[in-house]
């Protein structure tokens, strides 16, 4: 409904358009000063509505609007083309009359004309032809304007001339437009730019950058997150995947305009030094091709995905930024270092948490830039006409009490006890696994995760589930009603939160989970009578109001753009509540969900027994297929076959994540996913890394085994054995309860370090009980920022590894749960107990590297595996299992 109202306002705004022309050949698009959502206004109307000595180029530069203009002006100079075409909203210019005055004055000095045009009746997705003039305007009646007062007219050489090389020279510029003004150039930010299907990476970026110009944005950040912070969002919310082509579970995309960047930003050493092998003409052609990108497109991801990202970004305009590597700053740090002062960085506030938005805002403000919320996601506007998937419609089911342990009433009662301690009247539950855990429900909205897209708000006397009600069956509705939980439409949460704020209710939010969009909405409801308008009374300073409501002041004396916000730093999104209405504290459900009760642990044990049976049946089949029958199944085929074996087990619903089956060099791609076409095939000499898991009605599994079908090299044996030693070191560790995971991470790496080896991923992650395979807040890694203490009842992974690019990958992973080992002087010590029941291949072990204690651990583990699984398998599978579990 909101989207329809916005589109209606924008249709009214696009009643007329302006075409500014100059003599010459090719058509060039100037920036549009059309401001959607109205809200365009100026101050000091009695003072002529213009800045002394300020021309359109100057003003556009202040807003970083000139990326297309300056670049193309330089190119036009070389080809003697002088004709320019610009589009803008007449309604916007009439609300902004000094811009119209400045534009005509600037044109009058070049013997140019301004013609008012009616929009064509043709489809907005097609280019318009000749537009009939409505009335004329004598540009000569306006006096010329001085450009030397501030001296901001710049040549293209003042912008960035060099950028990181495009990966393939075959990536050419197709953005040629020789028709009259296209309605696409005046399209609002809510209207698809063109009629697009199957867009290329370059076309997507060009469309997105058009929207950046419409919004006067210097850069736009596209994270992986959706409104619920899902690791792998529903298909309709995978915006970063769509715009960049990178499909890993972690990453951030940043798109910038060209002239928003400082000179030299984004260039590599090779770019700066030049390439001696290329002649001058080739360099010019390459440079011109790179300039058509109108800025940079950067993709950050961590070490798990370096190889995958390199492959998926190959041949596109995207550049890989290897997060965590030396000289590679985090995205917001990079922006603060490379954007010019006054730049506006856009975000969708519904996919950025409060804590992240605050960090970004503070960092940008420190360099005189601002964080700008964009109500409707810009990637969505490109995607809508390019086959964007529909919202998920998976049905909700009840999670059995025998696996949940506590009923909904008990969980709600515990939450209200925590609310009472914090004097909170309500708490918002926004992450999908917490919603499912609290209400003992499961869903089917996200592949590999049994969750439903929904919110929950718990108050002192009621709880409400906000969800697409078509997903709720009568049985589920009855289950919720019995627990005192009401059901409302998914989109009603915003209005209900506003009502709670109007009533002065104290609301508990987790700033690491609540989106800045919801926070902003609540703050504005609390401060609904906030101050409006602004005037500093300073002579010669023009006040501008952008679409977002943010005010900008360009001071010709200081030659700086001054931004006004609640904190004076230019933020137009509320990120602070001084009233005390919003209580900021970690979610009361986070630790309760992470520390499993007895029934949840029992369900996880049962899930791993079923999973172990499926794995040994599969591994036996694989060995027979490759070694005895001499077949060469592909990585994709064995992934499908493994799913077939799991599907034979009771309660299996789906994999807990896409199976990672990496043969040879593909095993070094930490989160590799084989595709049907082009993946490797197994052979009798293959080394295979197999990481997989399942979702069962009773629990979630995740297991990795590395196997070799031939004779491994001594180097492979040494690497494998050092990984195994790290695995055993963590498995046998006893540690004080409450210490964070980073304090024990080095135990898993110590043996690798002794051999000069390491791995670029965490050692362990939390796992949900019949929920997400990656669950917070606990974890084991070298990142000391996670200070969550390890408690009894947590389920984590133990998965050290080692990877040689292009050669092989090794990882050994078991799921474990924490339990009390001893209690000395009232200090509780914890230990890990294995859940995973799958043999560890002995062929790859170099026994001389193992201590007697480590060999004893391995033999005892195999005794337990055989005792657990042998009653459940028969025939050749039992023989295979017995052979695999023999003592080392």
């Amino acid at each position: 409904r909101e989207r329809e109202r916005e589109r209606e306002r924008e249709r009214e705004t696009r009643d007329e358009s302006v075409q500014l022309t100059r003599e010459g050949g090719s058509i060039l698009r100037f920036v549009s000063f059309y401001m959607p959502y109205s809200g365009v206004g100026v101050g000091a109307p009695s003072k002529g509505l213009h800045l002394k000595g300020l021309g359109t180029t100057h003003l556009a530069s202040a807003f970083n609007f000139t990326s297309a203009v300056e670049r193309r002006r330089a190119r036009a100079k070389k080809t003697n083309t002088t004709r320019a075409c610009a589009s803008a909203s007449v309604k916007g210019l009439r609300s902004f009359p000094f811009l119209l005055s400045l534009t005509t004055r600037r044109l009058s000095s070049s013997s140019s004309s301004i013609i008012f045009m009616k929009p064509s009746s043709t489809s907005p997705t097609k280019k318009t032809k000749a537009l009939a003039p409505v009335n004329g305007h004598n540009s000569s009646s306006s006096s010329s304007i001085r450009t030397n007062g501030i001296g901001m007219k710049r040549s293209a050489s003042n912008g960035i001339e060099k950028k990181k090389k495009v990966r393939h020279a075959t990536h050419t510029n197709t953005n040629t437009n020789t028709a009259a003004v296209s309605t696409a150039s005046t399209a609002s930010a809510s209207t698809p730019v063109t009629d697009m299907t199957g867009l290329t990476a370059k076309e997507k970026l060009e469309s997105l950058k058009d929207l950046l110009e419409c919004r006067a944005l210097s850069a736009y950040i596209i994270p992986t997150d959706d409104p619920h912070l899902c690791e792998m969002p529903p298909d309709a919310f995978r915006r970063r995947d769509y715009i960049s082509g990178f499909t890993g579970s972690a990453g951030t995309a940043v798109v910038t305009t060209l002239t928003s960047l400082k000179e030299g930003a984004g260039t590599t050493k090779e770019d700066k030094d030049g390439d001696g092998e290329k002649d001058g003409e080739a360099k010019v052609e390459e440079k011109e091709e790179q300039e058509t990108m109108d800025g940079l497109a950067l993709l950050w991801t961590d070490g798990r995905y370096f190889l995958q990202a390199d492959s998926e970004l190959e041949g596109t305009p995207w550049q890989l930024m290897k997060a965590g590597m030396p000289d590679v700053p985090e995205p917001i740090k990079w922006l603060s270092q490379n954007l010019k002062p006054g730049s506006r960085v856009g975000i969708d506030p519904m996919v950025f948490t409060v804590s992240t938005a605050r960090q970004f805002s503070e960092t940008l403000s420190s360099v005189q830039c601002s964080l700008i919320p964009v109500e409707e996601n810009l990637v969505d506007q490109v995607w809508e006409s390019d086959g964007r998937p529909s919202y998920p419609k998976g049905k909700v089911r009840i999670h059995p009490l025998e696996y949940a342990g506590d009923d909904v009433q008990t969980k709600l009662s515990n939450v209200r006890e925590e609310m009472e301690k914090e004097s909170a009247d309500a708490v918002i539950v926004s992450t999908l696994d917490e919603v499912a855990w609290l209400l003992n429900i499961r869903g089917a909205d996200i592949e590999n995760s049994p969750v439903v897209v929904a919110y929950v708000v718990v108050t002192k006397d009621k709880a409400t589930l906000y969800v697409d009600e078509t997903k709720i069956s009568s049985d589920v509705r009855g289950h919720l009603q019995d627990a005192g939980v009401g059901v409302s439409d998914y989109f009603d949460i915003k209005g209900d939160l506003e009502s709670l704020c109007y009533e002065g209710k104290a609301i508990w939010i987790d700033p690491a989970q609540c989106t800045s969009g919801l926070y902003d909405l609540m703050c504005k409801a609390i401060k609904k009578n906030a101050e409006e308008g602004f005037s500093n009374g300073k002579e010669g300073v023009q006040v501008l109001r952008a679409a977002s409501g943010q005010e900008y002041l360009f001071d010709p004396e200081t030659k700086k753009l001054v931004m006004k916000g609640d904190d004076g730093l230019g933020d137009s999104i509320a990120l602070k509540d001084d009233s005390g209405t919003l209580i900021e504290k970690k979610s009361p459900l986070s630790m309760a969900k992470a520390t499993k009760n007895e029934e949840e642990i029992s369900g996880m044990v049962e899930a791993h027994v079923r999973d172990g049976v499926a794995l040994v049946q599969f591994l036996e089949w694989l060995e027979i297929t490759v070694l005895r029958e001499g077949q060469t199944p592909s990585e994709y085929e064995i992934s499908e076959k493994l799913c077939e074996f799991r599907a034979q087990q009771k309660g299996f619903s789906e994999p807990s994540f896409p199976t990672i089956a990496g043969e040879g060099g593909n095993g070094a791609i930490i989160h590799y996913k084989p595709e049907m076409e082009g993946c490797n095939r197994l052979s009798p000499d293959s080394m295979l890394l197999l990481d997989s898991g399942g979702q069962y009605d009773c629990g979630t599994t995740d297991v990795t085994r590395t196997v070799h079908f031939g004779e491994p090299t001594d180097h492979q044996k040494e690497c494998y054995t050092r990984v195994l030693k790290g695995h055993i070191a963590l498995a046998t560790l006893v540690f004080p309860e409450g210490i964070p995971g980073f304090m024990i991470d080095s135990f898993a790496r110590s043996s690798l370090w002794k051999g000069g080896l390491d791995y670029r991923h965490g050692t362990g992650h939390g796992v949900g009980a019949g929920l997400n395979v990656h669950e917070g807040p606990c974890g084991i890694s070298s990142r000391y920022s996670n200070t969550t203490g390890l408690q009894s009842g947590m389920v984590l992974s133990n998965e050290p590894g080692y990877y040689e690019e292009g050669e092989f990958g090794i990882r050994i992973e078991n799921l474990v749960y924490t339990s009390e080992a001893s209690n000395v002087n009232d200090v509780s010590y914890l230990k890990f107990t294995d859940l995973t029941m799958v043999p560890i291949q002995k062929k790859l072990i170099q026994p001389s590297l193992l201590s007697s204690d480590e060999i004893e651990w391995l033999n005892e583990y195999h005794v337990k595996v055989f005792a657990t699984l042998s009653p459940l398998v028969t025939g050749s599978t039992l023989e295979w299992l017995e052979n695999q579990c023999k003592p080392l």
Side-chain angles (χ1 to χ4, degrees):
R1 290 193 294 269
E2 289 177 356
R3 193 175 295 119
E4 285 301 319
R5 286 195 293 270
E6 291 166 0
R7 287 173 178 164
E8 181 61 31
R9 287 197 295 269
E10 291 158 1
R11 281 193 290 268
E12 294 172 359
T13 304
R14 292 197 303 274
D15 287 341
E16 298 175 284
S17 65
V18 175
Q19 185 176 21
L20 308 177
T21 64
R22 281 199 256 175
E23 296 179 3
S26 63
I27 288 181
L28 308 178
R29 188 180 70 253
F30 194 63
V31 298
S32 170
F33 288 99
Y34 159 57
M35 297 290 188
Y37 306 114
S38 305
V40 182
V42 296
S46 62
K47 297 191 177 186
L49 298 173
H50 66 272
L51 302 179
K52 181 179 180 181
L54 180 62
T56 48
T57 302
H58 197 160
L59 180 68
S61 176
F63 279 90
N64 291 319
F65 278 178
T66 56
S67 60
V69 179
E70 291 189 329
R71 175 177 50 75
R72 291 168 181 162
R73 186 173 292 158
R75 190 173 301 159
K77 197 176 293 182
K78 288 190 288 187
T79 57
N80 286 325
T81 58
T82 57
R83 183 183 175 198
C85 170
S87 64
S89 162
V90 169
K91 186 171 182 179
L93 285 175
R94 285 175 177 169
S95 299
F96 226 153
F98 89 100
L99 281 179
L100 186 57
S101 172
L102 289 175
T103 303
T104 54
R105 292 184 194 186
R106 169 70 88 186
L107 292 173
S108 68
S109 64
S110 304
S111 300
S112 305
S113 61
I114 180 168
I115 303 171
F116 288 82
M117 299 293 198
K118 283 184 179 179
S120 167
S121 60
T122 57
S123 168
T125 63
K126 297 180 180 179
K127 298 173 182 177
T128 62
K129 296 186 178 180
L131 302 177
V134 180
N135 51 44
H137 184 85
N138 185 4
S139 62
S140 62
S141 63
S142 299
S143 60
S144 63
I145 196 165
R146 295 181 311 187
T147 59
N148 58 357
I150 304 177
M152 289 184 64
K153 183 176 180 180
R154 302 182 302 169
S155 67
S157 62
N158 289 334
I160 293 179
E161 295 186 357
K162 297 180 180 180
K163 64 183 287 294
K164 188 173 180 179
K165 297 177 182 177
V166 179
R167 293 183 180 275
H168 284 313
T170 55
H171 192 75
T172 58
N173 177 27
T174 59
N175 187 23
T176 56
N177 179 3
T178 57
V181 179
S182 166
T183 52
S185 64
T186 57
S188 75
S190 296
T191 305
V193 178
T194 54
D195 186 7
M196 302 169 294
T197 55
L199 297 180
T200 65
K202 181 178 178 182
E203 290 168 337
K204 294 173 187 176
L205 279 174
E206 288 174 343
S207 298
L208 180 59
K209 287 172 183 176
D210 283 342
L211 295 176
L212 263 66
E213 288 187 1
C214 287
R215 297 281 187 170
L217 296 174
S218 310
Y220 192 65
I221 307 175
I222 307 109
T224 302
D225 292 332
D226 67 353
H228 302 277
L229 310 183
C230 299
E231 180 183 24
M232 294 298 290
D235 290 344
F237 291 149
R238 295 190 180 185
R239 294 153 175 142
R240 189 222 62 211
D241 298 30
Y242 167 75
I243 199 68
S244 70
F246 171 65
T247 59
S249 65
T252 299
V254 173
V255 177
T256 76
T257 58
L258 181 61
T259 54
S260 63
L261 298 170
K262 297 176 182 177
E263 188 168 358
T267 60
T268 63
K269 186 178 186 298
E270 291 76 15
D271 294 326
K272 293 175 182 178
D273 294 342
D275 187 345
E277 297 179 1
K278 295 186 177 180
D279 58 29
E281 184 178 352
K283 288 182 182 179
V284 170
E285 289 178 356
E286 182 178 357
K287 179 174 176 291
E288 286 186 2
E289 182 181 355
Q290 290 172 354
E291 282 184 345
T292 64
M293 294 312 302
D294 290 339
L296 298 176
L298 309 175
L299 188 283
W300 274 261
T301 191
D302 60 54
R304 296 172 297 169
Y305 297 105
F306 287 169
L307 298 181
Q308 178 181 339
D310 264 328
S311 175
E312 292 181 338
L313 302 183
E314 183 74 19
T316 75
W318 288 89
Q319 301 175 24
L320 174 61
M321 304 292 283
K322 296 183 177 181
M325 298 298 288
D327 302 322
V328 179
E330 290 300 307
I332 193 61
K333 186 70 173 177
W334 185 93
L335 287 168
S336 68
Q337 292 172 350
N338 290 281
L339 289 180
K340 296 176 181 176
S343 294
R344 292 157 42 91
V345 178
I347 63 167
D348 177 354
M350 289 303 295
V351 298
F352 278 82
T353 64
V354 176
S355 56
T356 300
R358 283 174 178 164
Q359 176 200 352
F360 282 20
S361 178
E362 291 170 1
T363 303
L364 290 172
S365 296
S366 68
V367 292
Q368 300 176 11
C369 297
S370 55
L371 189 69
I372 303 299
V374 181
E375 291 186 21
E376 189 166 353
N377 192 286
L378 298 187
V379 175
D380 289 354
Q381 295 169 50
V382 178
W383 201 0
E384 289 294 349
S385 296
D386 194 29
R388 185 187 182 194
S390 58
Y391 282 16
K393 294 286 186 180
K395 296 297 182 181
V396 178
R397 58 182 170 86
I398 301 170
H399 186 55
L401 186 60
E402 64 179 300
Y403 301 130
D406 295 327
D407 58 28
V408 180
Q409 293 95 325
T410 300
K411 293 180 179 180
L412 287 173
S413 177
N414 293 338
V415 170
R416 288 177 176 128
E417 287 181 8
E418 295 299 317
M419 289 167 53
E420 185 69 26
K421 294 177 184 177
E422 301 297 330
S423 300
D425 298 306
V427 63
I428 303 172
V429 184
S430 57
T431 59
L432 304 188
D433 57 342
E434 288 189 0
V435 169
W437 179 85
L438 176 65
L439 301 183
N440 287 347
I441 58 175
R442 298 294 186 265
D445 279 348
I446 299 180
E447 188 177 6
N448 308 130
S449 296
V451 294
V452 55
V453 175
Y455 293 96
V456 170
V457 174
V458 180
T459 64
K460 292 180 177 180
D461 54 3
K462 68 176 182 179
T464 304
L465 172 67
Y466 296 89
V467 66
D468 178 350
E469 296 188 56
T470 62
K471 302 175 184 178
I472 305 296
S473 67
S474 57
D475 288 344
V476 173
R477 191 177 293 273
H479 162 77
L480 295 172
Q481 288 176 346
D482 291 344
V485 179
V487 179
S488 290
D489 184 75
Y490 177 80
F491 295 101
D492 287 347
I493 186 170
K494 290 186 176 181
D496 287 357
L497 289 178
E498 285 181 318
S499 297
L500 288 171
C501 292
Y502 287 144
E503 296 168 7
K505 302 295 184 183
I507 302 176
W508 183 339
I509 67 106
D510 184 339
Q513 293 184 359
C514 178
T515 64
S516 56
L518 288 180
Y519 191 91
D520 175 68
L521 175 145
M522 291 185 285
C523 284
K524 288 175 180 175
I526 295 167
K527 301 177 180 179
K528 57 183 177 181
N529 296 320
E531 177 185 7
E532 294 183 2
F534 177 74
S535 174
N536 66 355
K538 186 176 180 180
E539 184 73 21
V541 174
Q542 179 67 51
V543 181
L544 316 177
R545 186 185 296 273
S548 62
Q550 178 61 41
E551 291 172 337
Y552 301 86
L553 302 98
F554 190 86
D555 190 339
E557 295 179 7
T558 63
K559 303 180 183 180
K560 291 182 179 180
L561 187 68
V562 181
M563 299 168 287
K564 175 183 177 295
D566 290 342
D567 56 3
L569 297 175
D571 294 343
S572 56
I573 181 172
L575 296 173
K576 185 178 181 181
D577 169 46
D578 293 323
S579 69
T581 301
L582 301 181
I583 301 170
E584 297 186 19
K585 190 176 176 64
K586 198 168 188 176
S587 168
L589 284 76
S590 182
M591 288 297 287
K593 175 174 58 65
T595 53
K596 278 65 175 176
N597 56 43
E598 291 183 6
E599 288 79 5
E600 288 174 318
I601 293 293
S602 295
M604 291 292 280
V605 169
E606 173 61 24
H608 282 82
V609 171
R610 300 178 194 175
D611 208 56
V613 171
L615 259 294
V616 298
Q617 291 173 340
F618 166 78
L619 289 171
E620 182 211 9
W621 167 85
L622 187 59
E623 189 173 291
I624 292 172
T625 301
V626 175
L627 297 181
R628 295 186 192 175
E629 299 178 359
Q631 297 185 36
T632 57
S634 71
E635 297 163 329
Y636 178 83
E637 289 168 348
I638 67 172
S639 299
E640 294 295 300
K641 190 67 176 180
L642 176 55
C643 191
E644 290 179 15
F645 278 107
R646 280 198 169 103
Q648 297 172 14
Q649 297 300 311
K650 175 186 174 183
F652 175 80
S653 59
E654 61 181 336
S656 56
F657 57 94
T659 295
I660 300 168
E663 187 274 342
N666 287 342
I669 304 175
I670 297 172
H671 277 198
Y672 171 74
K673 178 184 177 182
E675 302 293 342
M676 183 181 296
E677 301 294 334
C679 62
N680 288 354
R681 289 189 170 274
L682 276 65
S683 72
D685 296 322
S686 290
M687 187 169 179
L688 174 70
L689 186 153
L690 185 70
D691 187 351
S692 66
Q695 293 287 4
Y696 296 86
D697 56 0
C698 54
T700 303
T701 70
D702 180 4
V703 52
T704 307
R705 290 294 182 264
T706 305
V707 297
H708 201 297
F709 296 100
E711 184 59 38
T713 66
D714 290 342
H715 176 60
Q716 289 172 336
K717 287 183 177 181
E718 179 185 353
C719 295
Y720 183 91
T721 307
R722 290 191 181 279
V723 171
L724 177 60
K725 287 171 70 70
H727 181 96
I728 295 173
L730 202 61
T732 57
L733 188 66
V734 175
F735 55 94
E737 184 172 25
I739 67 170
F742 71 81
M743 292 184 67
I744 62 175
D745 177 77
S746 59
F747 286 91
R749 300 179 191 266
S750 179
S751 179
L752 286 162
W753 288 345
K754 290 177 181 177
L757 310 177
D758 202 353
Y759 51 95
R760 290 192 188 124
H761 59 73
T763 300
H765 57 83
V767 181
L771 282 170
N772 294 345
V773 72
H774 291 165
E775 177 185 80
C778 57
I780 304 171
S781 76
S782 58
R783 291 177 293 184
Y784 53 82
S785 56
N786 187 348
T787 59
T788 303
L790 299 178
Q791 306 290 332
S792 180
M794 289 181 168
V795 175
L796 301 105
S797 65
N798 173 6
E799 50 178 315
Y802 174 69
Y803 313 90
E804 283 195 8
E805 183 175 348
E807 298 296 331
F808 60 86
I810 298 168
R811 187 160 62 248
I812 302 172
E813 177 187 17
N814 281 4
L815 293 194
V816 298
Y817 69 91
T818 55
S819 59
E820 188 172 81
S822 61
N823 191 302
V824 180
N825 297 327
D826 294 328
V827 176
S828 179
Y829 289 83
L830 301 181
K831 65 179 180 180
F832 292 121
T833 300
D834 284 296
L835 288 166
T836 302
M837 294 288 112
V838 178
I840 295 171
Q841 191 180 64
K842 299 189 293 294
K843 180 193 294 187
L844 277 161
I845 296 174
Q846 187 172 320
S848 61
L849 288 178
L850 294 179
S851 68
S852 58
D853 288 343
E854 290 167 337
I855 293 174
E856 182 181 358
W857 178 91
L858 182 64
N859 290 338
E860 289 180 354
Y861 175 73
H862 279 147
V863 167
K864 184 177 180 181
V865 169
F866 185 77
T868 302
L869 301 183
S870 58
L872 305 174
V873 296
T874 59
S876 61
T877 305
L878 178 59
E879 293 177 6
W880 182 90
L881 177 64
E882 185 176 11
N883 182 59
Q884 294 295 315
C885 293
K886 287 180 179 179
L888 183 64

